Amino acid sequence: MSCLVIGSLEWFQDSQNGDQIIKNAIAQAMASRLDLVALYGGITAGAGTINLPTPPNPRGVLATLNATLPGNVLGGAANGTTQTAATYFTEVLDTIYKVRYGNEEPNGLIWNAKAARQYAGANDTTGQPLRLPGDVEGIPRYMSNQVPSYTQGTMTNRATDLYAGDWTQLLIGQRLGLTIQVLTERYAEYGQVGIVAHWRGDVAAARPAAFAVYRGIQGAL
């Protein structure tokens, strides 16, 4: 991964900690990109605007399952999957247990804010919030908007994906640590300074059976 930030010379001269602000912003942007590739690398269609061909991107969890263990990719209905009132958490449980059927134990669920909001707002017929099933409540749930909301047939802009897995089995190898160079001459005639950063690494699922994905589940509007 590479990125470039260009700022005015005056800003760098006048800010007391401008270099640290830029470094933190670059690190956070690269970390978010690494999360996206680790989940979706190898996916070029079917998840909104995601287009991460392999190569040059590593193959992430979903693409690995598609290629080697497609039975662990659930859902994918033409118009997405809506939650059913009487069995609201069925799809979440199916995803969790798909991992367990492979003799693995998920230690985290990943969904986006719209999916989290959809389940947080689940009520019974009397308007009381639905309690999480024990198997869902017992697994940490993490929100990442690197998981997109997209259109699936008639489910417009609210289809999304749910990941369950043993995330200790997702390997991220670092070949070249984050390096940052200051370009003081390239943009000098414009009164600017460039900051360029590079990172080199790879992603792989050590045991694909440790992961499952439910595709096209309904999130909140």
Side-chain angles (χ1 to χ4, degrees):
M1 290 187 289
S2 299
C3 70
L4 172 66
V5 176
I6 302 172
S8 70
L9 183 61
E10 289 87 348
W11 186 83
F12 282 103
Q13 290 174 337
D14 294 345
S15 61
Q16 295 183 352
N17 60 340
D19 58 339
Q20 192 59 49
I21 291 172
I22 294 295
K23 289 177 182 179
N24 289 342
I26 288 173
Q28 290 174 11
M30 284 191 158
S32 294
R33 183 69 175 184
L34 182 56
D35 286 349
L36 180 66
V37 172
L39 294 172
Y40 284 98
I43 300 300
T44 58
T49 60
I50 288 179
N51 182 23
L52 297 170
T54 300
N57 296 283
R59 182 181 281 174
V61 171
L62 179 56
T64 296
L65 293 179
N66 283 338
T68 65
L69 197 62
N72 275 36
V73 181
L74 309 175
N79 294 313
T81 301
T82 58
Q83 295 82 0
T84 302
T87 56
Y88 208 84
F89 291 93
T90 293
E91 293 78 21
V92 181
L93 291 170
D94 286 345
T95 311
I96 291 169
Y97 272 88
K98 180 59 73 171
V99 176
R100 288 175 173 168
Y101 293 158
N103 296 315
E104 305 284 352
E105 183 58 36
N107 60 14
L109 304 178
I110 295 178
W111 53 19
N112 69 11
K114 286 189 174 182
R117 174 65 182 86
Q118 179 75 14
Y119 284 98
N123 297 320
D124 63 20
T125 56
T126 66
Q128 297 301 308
L130 289 177
R131 181 176 179 180
L132 290 174
D135 284 296
V136 178
E137 190 173 25
I139 298 176
R141 297 171 298 284
Y142 303 100
M143 277 191 293
S144 173
N145 290 321
Q146 296 303 93
V147 179
S149 293
Y150 53 89
T151 295
Q152 180 85 355
T154 58
M155 187 178 288
T156 305
N157 295 327
R158 61 187 302 189
T160 185
D161 301 323
L162 166 69
Y163 285 76
D166 176 358
W167 298 98
T168 66
Q169 299 305 314
L170 181 63
L171 306 181
I172 298 177
Q174 180 170 279
R175 179 63 182 86
L176 177 66
L178 182 62
T179 60
I180 295 179
Q181 298 171 275
V182 180
L183 309 179
T184 57
E185 297 180 0
R186 181 176 176 183
Y187 305 99
E189 68 268 34
Y190 304 111
Q192 296 174 326
V193 175
I195 307 292
V196 64
H198 304 282
W199 182 88
R200 182 180 168 203
D202 205 350
V203 175
R207 296 201 299 267
F211 301 94
V213 182
Y214 200 102
R215 306 226 60 206
I217 190 73
Q218 179 176 269
L221 289 172

